[in-house]
Every structure is written in structure tokens, then in C-alpha cells.
Amino acid sequence: MNQVVIPIEATGLGRLRKRRQPKGRQVDAAALTEVRAALGDMPRRRDLLIEHLHCIQDRYGQLAMPHLIALAQELGLAMTEVYEVATFYHHFDVVREDADGHIEPPPALTVRVCEGIACEMAGAQALIDKLPTVLGTEVRVVAAPCIGRCEKAPAVLAGQNPVDGATLDTVAACVAAGTVRDDIVAQTGYGAYKATGGYGLLKAFAQGSLDPAAVLCTMEDSGLRGLGGAGFPTGRKWRIVSGEPAPRLMAVNIDEGEPGTFKDRVYLERDPHRFLEGMLIAAAVTQVAAIYIYLRDEYAGCRAILTQALQELHDDPPVPDLPRIELRRGAGAYICGEESAMIESIEGKRGMPRLRPPYVAQVGLFGRPTLEHNFETLYWVRDILEKGAEWFASQGRHGRKGLRSFSVSGRVRQPGVHLAPAGITVRELIDEYCGGMIDGHTFYAYLPGGASGGILPASMGNIPLDFDTLQPHGCFIGSAAIVVLSDHDSAVAAARNLMHFFKHESCGQCTPCRVGTAKALDLIRAPKWDLPALEDLSAVMRDASICGLGQAAPNPVDCVVRYFPHELQAAPDRPEAQA
């Protein structure tokens, strides 16, 4: 058999050209120069990725793909690592080229209108509908999850400048003025705080006159529990972390994104050094090597306050050898209020909760044992140590112990942060601390623990508000965010608002939460609810979700079915109320 020999020239293989450049996206020299200018002398560390993204967006108003490619090279990361983080967080504007290679940058200003439950009740939807026409095409108006200003609803962020009790006119005036809230100062400054004995406890500890063992016993005897929502005993947590091998780290959670919660912001605006002293005492007792403070991005004013307070500590330290303190900026993700998701974010990653065990106290930040605390928990350390465990434990009503900072919003005359005895009932709270219901409104229902804590009718308004008292009723107190509904409102409408929030804020890591919140929202938007399907869905989400978001998301829906059947029967599609 004759073989046919085909010359290589005829195959075209001989005409293959050498690759002119490596595979993958190529770094633009101009973009790399711009990225380096934006980062300045910041360390090029993997855990600072989110801080680097903020620097680029703050400088250029967007995250363009050439900048992301350049940042990946600058940090020695794969492009996918940078891109997945940039697109995970709501506050980053990742801009891509269209089919013709053009880049359409975002508007120069973004106005975020809070659509949380308190703001919706106060008329936020009308602002969302009308502001685009009033402000024009140069301003982007977006509906945003809770921005932590529920007591001043409806609340708006024009850039980083908050507009409280917003109207069309006040928002337009703020946009026209172009002001940025960068000059806010704490009500109690460094000098005033020290003048009233501030940092005296920390000095006593450093000098050896305050015994670590005694501090631990006082914290345990006080009964103080974690005030971010979980309620874990504070003294016990310190003892557990102290027993773990060094080096130990500390993470402070100020990412209060739960709709209805704003107490941490209020206390931080009042007295930041009281918090910092409590934080440093906790760090000294547990001997941590470094502290990371995680602050939500919506709190630009608080960020200015904390930055100044930390600089004051650096310039005039009350004691020698303070641990390293880093302030980290969130980027708009409710899930980062969950401790392990917050830790992932501090490490420069997507804020996705970790599977447990191991627990954060054992394997936390950068794989080290980590003392994790909410802001308010540390805020009370000085008072407890100065006044004694019995002082704190002696507070309370109806057999409960301690004090609680209730964030109260909704249909009351005096919304705000109210310090009240643990175990107070919502009726007592409304009458004694909030000035009663607003005129023309009758108490109808309440959320005892923010979006995830469930919904109870007014007929159950005599339950003591505290840890462990609400669980038998399918609810919990969480961070003590109380949203008061009146006869102008609907539990069905509230459940729809809350499930919309959970769907928006699910990190998407686990199917029960990612799919369950979306499916639940579809089911409860229907005029007639499919109760068997909702029951099955609730069970799956509770049993199989990785973290508390998916496990607690069904609470509002389950409460409507259990306590408000008349709404489902009589007015299943009752319109959402306006103020």
C-alpha cells in the first residue's frame, strides 16, 4: 500500500506563530500606576484586599477591570481571588466592558434609601419611587438594606452622608450641598474620658494592682452575656480563650446589620473610649497579641470617630505596650455580622460562614484562637469592674438579671436606644421609656429581636424580654432590637419585608438558605399561602443551613402562621402601611 506524504507546509502547521504574550488578562501599565497611587504605602498583604478595594473605589469611584487585574498582580493573587471578593460585597461597583469595549462608569453619587422594616413603615417606598425624578440621571438611587438608623426613619445615605427623617426636599438639599460627613466628633472625647477616671482600670491592671483572676471572677459573677445576639457568657468566653495556646487574637464586631438594631452606633458616637478601655482590658486578661475591629461601611461617621480615638491612644497611650489595633472597614454585607463570616472578611475574603467545629475560640483569625466580641459587650466592662458584679446582676425585672440596651423603632413617640432592666416587657418599655404609641396608633404587634427574632402579637406583650424567655414562643431577643407595629400595619407585610431582606443578604454558600429564602419569598407574596410547603421549607432551612441567617429566616413567616392566622384568612394581600 502506497503512503501519501503530505508536506508540512500544506497542513498549515508550519505557519503557526509564536505567542506574543502569556495567556490570561494582561496588566495595563497605566492601571497599575493608578492602583499603586491609590494604595500608597499600604502593605501589600492578602488580608488587606478589601481595604485595597476601598482605596481604589474611593479614589476612582469604581472598580474597573483594568484596576482589578493590576491589583491582582500587585498582591500576587489570581484574578479570580480579587474578582470574587469585589463582586461579593454590595458597596463595590465593579464595572465591566460591554461588547464594544466601552466602559459605562457608575454615576458620581449613589443615594441609598433604606428599605428596612422601620423605614418602610415610615414611607421609604415613596422616596425610592420619586427620588430618581427629583435628583436626575446624574445620581443613582438604590433601595438598600438596613443602614442602622432605624430610630430616624426613613433614613437615607447620600454617598456617606446620612439624611435622617428623609424627605424629597432634604435629600435633594443634601445632594446639592455635596457634604460629606467627615467632621463628626464623639460626645465624650479622650480628655473628658480620662478626667472622669477613664483608663484607670487599665492602668491598675498594667501596674499589677488589678488581678486578672479577680477580673475574670467579677465578669462571671456579673452574668454579662454577649450582646451581639448569641448571649454567650462573657467571663466564660474569656476563660476559654485564655486557656488556648498563644498567640491569641481578638476580633470586635461592629457590623450591626440586623434591621432594627442601632445601639452600637449610638454608644460609639457617645463614648468611644469607654468601649476601647473595655476592649483593652479584655485583651490584657486574655493576653491577645493583636486586635481587629470590624466596622460596617455604612457608619462613616463612626469610622471617623474611631480613627481619631485610636490615633489619640497611639499618641498618648495610657499604658505602655498596647497591642496592635487594626480598624477594618466592611463593604455592605449583613452576613458579616456572623462571627466566622466577619473573620473571613477581616482576612480579605468573601464573608461566608465557616462550618463548626472548630470554634472561633479555638481556630479563628488566621488560624489562631480568637476572642470575638460585640461592641456593646465591651462597653459595659468598665462599669462592671468599677461598680462590682452585684451592681449589674441586681438590675432586672420579672426574675431576670442585668441591663439591656433596647433599640426601639416603629410606631412609638420616642424611638431610640433605651437602657432598661433585663426582663422588662414590651408594654412596659413602650409606656415607661418610649412615651407610648404615636397619636392615632394602637399597639398591634412587635418584633422582639430584629428581623430574625420573629413577630408576636400585642396580646403577648407581657413576656419578659431577655435571653431564653422568648424561645418557647418561637422567637428570641438577639441584639434587643424592638420594632413596634400598630393597627396601621400588617404582620404579613412585615414578613414579606423581612424575607426580602434575607433573600438579598444570603451569602449563597448553602442551598437551604440561598434557595430557601427565595422560595419562601415567592410563597408568601402569593395571595394565598401554601402552608404545607412553607412548613416543609422552614424545617429544611432550620435543619440544614450552615449559619444563623438561614436557620432564623423562617421565624417571621412561622410567627405569622402561628399568631396572625386572621390576616391570612381575612386580608392575605393587605397593602403595606405608610406613616
Side-chain angles (χ1 to χ4, degrees):
M1 181 176 179
N2 295 328
Q3 294 182 339
V4 178
V5 178
I6 303 176
I8 189 170
E9 294 79 5
T11 67
L13 296 176
R15 294 193 300 272
L16 286 178
R17 292 177 294 178
K18 292 184 178 180
R19 189 180 300 278
R20 294 181 179 177
Q21 60 190 22
K23 287 184 177 181
R25 298 177 176 85
Q26 302 308 302
V27 178
D28 179 79
L32 184 59
T33 300
E34 291 173 345
V35 164
R36 288 173 174 169
L39 301 189
D41 58 0
M42 290 181 65
R44 275 35 172 193
R45 299 202 318 257
R46 172 67 174 83
D47 63 289
L48 290 173
L49 174 57
I50 294 172
E51 299 298 312
H52 293 154
L53 291 170
H54 275 303
C55 287
I56 296 169
Q57 177 152 309
D58 288 347
R59 186 175 183 118
Y60 300 109
Q62 62 185 19
L63 295 176
M65 291 302 295
H67 285 154
L68 295 181
I69 296 168
L71 179 61
Q73 173 166 303
E74 187 74 358
L75 296 180
L77 298 175
M79 177 58 187
T80 53
E81 294 180 271
V82 174
Y83 185 79
E84 70 178 7
V85 171
T87 54
F88 179 85
Y89 296 91
H90 302 319
H91 290 186
F92 290 141
D93 285 311
V94 178
V95 181
R96 307 167 182 82
E97 295 181 354
D98 61 19
D100 298 322
H102 300 300
I103 296 177
E104 184 67 31
L109 179 67
T110 296
V111 171
R112 301 181 189 276
V113 182
C114 178
E115 60 176 355
I117 181 66
C119 289
E120 181 185 82
M121 291 163 59
Q125 189 58 51
L127 292 174
I128 295 170
D129 294 340
K130 297 177 182 178
L131 273 175
T133 301
V134 173
L135 301 179
T137 57
E138 297 301 312
V139 177
R140 175 175 57 181
V141 178
V142 298
C146 183
I147 61 176
R149 310 187 73 83
C150 317
E151 84 280 29
K152 301 175 180 179
V156 169
L157 283 177
Q160 294 185 341
N161 191 47
V163 184
D164 297 328
T167 65
L168 294 174
D169 290 340
T170 58
V171 175
C174 179
V175 170
T179 55
V180 177
R181 187 175 185 175
D182 57 2
D183 58 350
I184 185 172
V185 295
Q187 296 175 27
T188 301
Y190 190 40
Y193 182 72
K194 290 196 296 183
T196 60
Y199 290 109
L201 287 168
L202 186 63
K203 291 180 181 178
F205 192 95
Q207 294 166 358
S209 56
L210 186 61
D211 181 50
V215 171
L216 270 176
C217 289
T218 300
M219 296 304 298
E220 289 174 330
D221 293 344
S222 72
L224 178 67
R225 297 172 66 171
L227 298 173
F232 193 86
T234 302
R236 183 181 169 193
K237 180 181 283 189
W238 292 12
R239 194 175 293 279
I240 290 172
V241 174
S242 298
E244 294 294 325
R248 294 175 286 275
L249 302 175
M250 185 175 183
V252 182
N253 192 337
I254 322 180
D255 193 61
E256 55 173 1
E258 181 80 11
T261 305
F262 46 89
K263 60 182 177 60
D264 293 350
R265 171 183 60 80
V266 170
Y267 283 143
L268 182 50
E269 291 172 347
R270 290 179 186 173
D271 199 352
H273 285 283
R274 184 173 297 272
F275 149 69
L276 290 174
E277 183 172 15
M279 178 187 78
L280 290 170
I281 290 172
V285 171
T286 55
Q287 298 182 341
V288 303
I291 302 171
Y292 295 80
I293 303 174
Y294 190 85
L295 179 69
R296 69 179 310 198
D297 193 36
E298 289 85 349
Y299 288 176
C302 289
R303 188 163 64 251
I305 287 175
L306 263 182
T307 300
Q308 178 180 341
L310 292 173
Q311 187 63 47
E312 290 166 341
L313 283 180
H314 179 270
D315 295 341
D316 181 23
V319 298
D321 302 322
L322 290 175
R324 187 179 83 253
I325 304 172
E326 294 194 22
L327 177 59
R328 295 298 180 88
R329 178 178 171 186
Y334 164 73
I335 190 62
C336 289
E338 197 275 341
E339 62 176 7
S340 65
M342 176 190 68
I343 285 174
E344 289 285 298
S345 189
I346 292 174
E347 293 180 355
K349 305 171 187 174
R350 294 177 294 171
M352 289 189 168
R354 299 176 178 177
L355 291 170
R356 288 169 286 188
Y359 296 96
V360 165
Q362 302 163 312
V363 182
L365 265 171
F366 309 114
R368 300 308 309 164
T370 302
L371 178 66
E372 189 277 338
H373 266 312
N374 168 256
F375 169 93
E376 195 203 349
T377 309
L378 298 169
Y379 188 84
W380 288 109
V381 169
R382 177 187 169 186
D383 278 328
I384 290 172
L385 294 180
E386 285 184 341
K387 299 176 182 178
E390 181 59 28
W391 164 78
F392 189 81
S394 65
Q395 312 287 333
R397 287 189 190 176
H398 306 298
R400 311 304 298 178
K401 294 182 178 182
L403 292 167
R404 294 287 176 271
S405 300
F406 292 96
S407 303
V408 185
S409 60
R411 310 295 192 177
V412 295
R413 289 180 179 174
Q414 298 171 16
V417 176
H418 297 289
L419 184 61
I424 193 172
T425 70
V426 71
R427 287 190 180 275
E428 292 169 339
L429 189 63
I430 293 170
D431 294 339
E432 298 176 29
Y433 290 84
C434 303
M437 301 291 292
I438 60 177
D439 293 341
H441 289 253
T442 301
F443 180 35
Y444 174 67
Y446 66 108
L447 281 62
S452 54
I455 309 173
L456 292 173
S459 60
M460 299 177 67
N462 293 320
I463 301 171
L465 297 173
D466 197 12
F467 298 114
D468 311 320
T469 60
L470 293 157
Q471 280 84 340
H473 309 286
C475 299
F476 58 82
I477 193 171
S479 57
I482 311 296
V483 184
V484 179
L485 280 60
S486 77
D487 54 344
H488 291 227
D489 304 307
S490 156
V492 166
R496 288 171 178 160
N497 175 283
L498 302 175
M499 192 57 71
H500 168 75
F501 170 79
F502 289 130
K503 175 188 174 183
H504 184 267
E505 293 300 313
S506 172
C507 74
Q509 179 177 194
C510 67
T511 302
C513 180
R514 181 185 66 251
V515 177
T517 51
K519 181 62 176 177
L521 183 59
D522 289 341
L523 289 171
I524 66 174
R525 278 177 171 167
K528 182 177 177 59
W529 288 14
D530 185 341
L531 299 184
L534 284 170
E535 182 180 1
D536 290 344
L537 190 58
S538 173
V540 170
M541 293 175 68
R542 292 183 189 282
D543 293 343
S545 294
I546 289 175
C547 80
L549 191 156
Q551 294 162 12
N555 282 347
V557 175
D558 291 351
C559 285
V560 170
V561 175
R562 183 175 178 181
Y563 299 118
F564 300 90
H566 57 283
E567 287 197 25
L568 299 178
Q569 297 167 2
D573 202 24
R574 181 177 176 180
E576 297 169 1
Q578 300 292 332

PDB file of all heavy atoms in Angstrom, residues 183-200:
ATOM      1  N   ASP A 183     -16.593  65.167  59.705  1.00  0.00           N
ATOM      2  CA  ASP A 183     -16.200  66.035  60.806  1.00  0.00           C
ATOM      3  C   ASP A 183     -16.945  65.695  62.104  1.00  0.00           C
ATOM      4  O   ASP A 183     -16.911  66.473  63.053  1.00  0.00           O
ATOM      5  CB  ASP A 183     -16.465  67.499  60.448  1.00  0.00           C
ATOM      6  CG  ASP A 183     -17.933  67.763  60.100  1.00  0.00           C
ATOM      7  OD1 ASP A 183     -18.695  66.774  59.954  1.00  0.00           O
ATOM      8  OD2 ASP A 183     -18.306  68.940  59.966  1.00  0.00           O
ATOM      9  N   ILE A 184     -17.611  64.557  62.154  1.00  0.00           N
ATOM     10  CA  ILE A 184     -18.344  64.177  63.356  1.00  0.00           C
ATOM     11  C   ILE A 184     -17.358  63.883  64.484  1.00  0.00           C
ATOM     12  O   ILE A 184     -16.294  63.307  64.266  1.00  0.00           O
ATOM     13  CB  ILE A 184     -19.259  62.959  63.099  1.00  0.00           C
ATOM     14  CG1 ILE A 184     -20.114  62.661  64.328  1.00  0.00           C
ATOM     15  CG2 ILE A 184     -18.460  61.756  62.667  1.00  0.00           C
ATOM     16  CD1 ILE A 184     -21.163  61.594  64.071  1.00  0.00           C
ATOM     17  N   VAL A 185     -17.673  64.327  65.672  1.00  0.00           N
ATOM     18  CA  VAL A 185     -16.823  64.073  66.833  1.00  0.00           C
ATOM     19  C   VAL A 185     -17.645  63.399  67.911  1.00  0.00           C
ATOM     20  O   VAL A 185     -18.857  63.561  68.002  1.00  0.00           O
ATOM     21  CB  VAL A 185     -16.206  65.380  67.383  1.00  0.00           C
ATOM     22  CG1 VAL A 185     -15.257  65.996  66.375  1.00  0.00           C
ATOM     23  CG2 VAL A 185     -17.289  66.376  67.772  1.00  0.00           C
ATOM     24  N   ALA A 186     -16.962  62.629  68.763  1.00  0.00           N
ATOM     25  CA  ALA A 186     -17.639  61.923  69.844  1.00  0.00           C
ATOM     26  C   ALA A 186     -18.128  62.913  70.901  1.00  0.00           C
ATOM     27  O   ALA A 186     -17.515  63.960  71.136  1.00  0.00           O
ATOM     28  CB  ALA A 186     -16.692  60.910  70.474  1.00  0.00           C
ATOM     29  N   GLN A 187     -19.227  62.565  71.540  1.00  0.00           N
ATOM     30  CA  GLN A 187     -19.752  63.421  72.589  1.00  0.00           C
ATOM     31  C   GLN A 187     -18.803  63.483  73.778  1.00  0.00           C
ATOM     32  O   GLN A 187     -18.709  64.502  74.461  1.00  0.00           O
ATOM     33  CB  GLN A 187     -21.127  62.914  73.025  1.00  0.00           C
ATOM     34  CG  GLN A 187     -22.171  63.001  71.920  1.00  0.00           C
ATOM     35  CD  GLN A 187     -23.504  62.389  72.325  1.00  0.00           C
ATOM     36  OE1 GLN A 187     -23.843  62.347  73.498  1.00  0.00           O
ATOM     37  NE2 GLN A 187     -24.264  61.913  71.352  1.00  0.00           N
ATOM     38  N   THR A 188     -18.081  62.408  74.045  1.00  0.00           N
ATOM     39  CA  THR A 188     -17.078  62.382  75.116  1.00  0.00           C
ATOM     40  C   THR A 188     -15.721  62.091  74.493  1.00  0.00           C
ATOM     41  O   THR A 188     -15.479  60.993  73.990  1.00  0.00           O
ATOM     42  CB  THR A 188     -17.404  61.298  76.168  1.00  0.00           C
ATOM     43  OG1 THR A 188     -18.698  61.558  76.720  1.00  0.00           O
ATOM     44  CG2 THR A 188     -16.371  61.315  77.282  1.00  0.00           C
ATOM     45  N   GLY A 189     -14.842  63.089  74.514  1.00  0.00           N
ATOM     46  CA  GLY A 189     -13.527  62.943  73.914  1.00  0.00           C
ATOM     47  C   GLY A 189     -12.523  62.300  74.855  1.00  0.00           C
ATOM     48  O   GLY A 189     -12.828  61.958  76.004  1.00  0.00           O
ATOM     49  N   TYR A 190     -11.303  62.185  74.374  1.00  0.00           N
ATOM     50  CA  TYR A 190     -10.244  61.498  75.128  1.00  0.00           C
ATOM     51  C   TYR A 190      -9.961  62.206  76.457  1.00  0.00           C
ATOM     52  O   TYR A 190      -9.890  61.581  77.516  1.00  0.00           O
ATOM     53  CB  TYR A 190      -8.984  61.446  74.261  1.00  0.00           C
ATOM     54  CG  TYR A 190      -7.884  60.564  74.798  1.00  0.00           C
ATOM     55  CD1 TYR A 190      -8.155  59.338  75.387  1.00  0.00           C
ATOM     56  CD2 TYR A 190      -6.549  60.953  74.672  1.00  0.00           C
ATOM     57  CE1 TYR A 190      -7.127  58.516  75.855  1.00  0.00           C
ATOM     58  CE2 TYR A 190      -5.511  60.136  75.131  1.00  0.00           C
ATOM     59  CZ  TYR A 190      -5.820  58.927  75.728  1.00  0.00           C
ATOM     60  OH  TYR A 190      -4.798  58.126  76.185  1.00  0.00           O
ATOM     61  N   GLY A 191      -9.798  63.526  76.410  1.00  0.00           N
ATOM     62  CA  GLY A 191      -9.513  64.276  77.618  1.00  0.00           C
ATOM     63  C   GLY A 191     -10.621  64.188  78.640  1.00  0.00           C
ATOM     64  O   GLY A 191     -10.379  63.973  79.839  1.00  0.00           O
ATOM     65  N   ALA A 192     -11.861  64.342  78.172  1.00  0.00           N
ATOM     66  CA  ALA A 192     -13.008  64.271  79.091  1.00  0.00           C
ATOM     67  C   ALA A 192     -13.152  62.884  79.684  1.00  0.00           C
ATOM     68  O   ALA A 192     -13.506  62.725  80.857  1.00  0.00           O
ATOM     69  CB  ALA A 192     -14.283  64.673  78.351  1.00  0.00           C
ATOM     70  N   TYR A 193     -12.849  61.869  78.889  1.00  0.00           N
ATOM     71  CA  TYR A 193     -12.966  60.499  79.392  1.00  0.00           C
ATOM     72  C   TYR A 193     -11.932  60.239  80.487  1.00  0.00           C
ATOM     73  O   TYR A 193     -12.250  59.680  81.547  1.00  0.00           O
ATOM     74  CB  TYR A 193     -12.788  59.505  78.243  1.00  0.00           C
ATOM     75  CG  TYR A 193     -12.941  58.061  78.666  1.00  0.00           C
ATOM     76  CD1 TYR A 193     -14.191  57.544  78.982  1.00  0.00           C
ATOM     77  CD2 TYR A 193     -11.832  57.234  78.774  1.00  0.00           C
ATOM     78  CE1 TYR A 193     -14.334  56.226  79.389  1.00  0.00           C
ATOM     79  CE2 TYR A 193     -11.966  55.912  79.177  1.00  0.00           C
ATOM     80  CZ  TYR A 193     -13.223  55.416  79.483  1.00  0.00           C
ATOM     81  OH  TYR A 193     -13.354  54.114  79.903  1.00  0.00           O
ATOM     82  N   LYS A 194     -10.697  60.662  80.266  1.00  0.00           N
ATOM     83  CA  LYS A 194      -9.662  60.452  81.275  1.00  0.00           C
ATOM     84  C   LYS A 194      -9.934  61.265  82.540  1.00  0.00           C
ATOM     85  O   LYS A 194      -9.584  60.843  83.653  1.00  0.00           O
ATOM     86  CB  LYS A 194      -8.292  60.812  80.696  1.00  0.00           C
ATOM     87  CG  LYS A 194      -7.795  59.837  79.634  1.00  0.00           C
ATOM     88  CD  LYS A 194      -6.322  59.996  79.369  1.00  0.00           C
ATOM     89  CE  LYS A 194      -5.992  61.354  78.797  1.00  0.00           C
ATOM     90  NZ  LYS A 194      -4.546  61.467  78.471  1.00  0.00           N
ATOM     91  N   ALA A 195     -10.556  62.437  82.370  1.00  0.00           N
ATOM     92  CA  ALA A 195     -10.831  63.293  83.519  1.00  0.00           C
ATOM     93  C   ALA A 195     -11.819  62.669  84.493  1.00  0.00           C
ATOM     94  O   ALA A 195     -11.861  63.038  85.669  1.00  0.00           O
ATOM     95  CB  ALA A 195     -11.359  64.644  83.039  1.00  0.00           C
ATOM     96  N   THR A 196     -12.611  61.728  84.026  1.00  0.00           N
ATOM     97  CA  THR A 196     -13.581  61.045  84.901  1.00  0.00           C
ATOM     98  C   THR A 196     -13.102  59.647  85.299  1.00  0.00           C
ATOM     99  O   THR A 196     -13.914  58.784  85.617  1.00  0.00           O
ATOM    100  CB  THR A 196     -14.946  60.947  84.197  1.00  0.00           C
ATOM    101  OG1 THR A 196     -14.800  60.205  82.972  1.00  0.00           O
ATOM    102  CG2 THR A 196     -15.509  62.329  83.886  1.00  0.00           C
ATOM    103  N   GLY A 197     -11.798  59.451  85.266  1.00  0.00           N
ATOM    104  CA  GLY A 197     -11.238  58.164  85.688  1.00  0.00           C
ATOM    105  C   GLY A 197     -11.031  57.175  84.566  1.00  0.00           C
ATOM    106  O   GLY A 197     -10.695  56.009  84.826  1.00  0.00           O
ATOM    107  N   GLY A 198     -11.238  57.600  83.353  1.00  0.00           N
ATOM    108  CA  GLY A 198     -11.073  56.710  82.218  1.00  0.00           C
ATOM    109  C   GLY A 198      -9.668  56.170  82.092  1.00  0.00           C
ATOM    110  O   GLY A 198      -8.691  56.891  82.335  1.00  0.00           O
ATOM    111  N   TYR A 199      -9.543  54.923  81.744  1.00  0.00           N
ATOM    112  CA  TYR A 199      -8.306  54.161  81.602  1.00  0.00           C
ATOM    113  C   TYR A 199      -7.616  53.913  82.940  1.00  0.00           C
ATOM    114  O   TYR A 199      -6.499  53.385  82.971  1.00  0.00           O
ATOM    115  CB  TYR A 199      -7.348  54.835  80.615  1.00  0.00           C
ATOM    116  CG  TYR A 199      -7.866  54.751  79.188  1.00  0.00           C
ATOM    117  CD1 TYR A 199      -8.340  55.883  78.534  1.00  0.00           C
ATOM    118  CD2 TYR A 199      -7.897  53.542  78.509  1.00  0.00           C
ATOM    119  CE1 TYR A 199      -8.838  55.817  77.239  1.00  0.00           C
ATOM    120  CE2 TYR A 199      -8.386  53.451  77.214  1.00  0.00           C
ATOM    121  CZ  TYR A 199      -8.858  54.602  76.584  1.00  0.00           C
ATOM    122  OH  TYR A 199      -9.343  54.521  75.307  1.00  0.00           O
ATOM    123  N   GLY A 200      -8.284  54.270  84.047  1.00  0.00           N
ATOM    124  CA  GLY A 200      -7.729  53.960  85.361  1.00  0.00           C
ATOM    125  C   GLY A 200      -7.664  52.473  85.624  1.00  0.00           C
ATOM    126  O   GLY A 200      -6.687  51.974  86.208  1.00  0.00           O
TER     127      GLY A 200
END
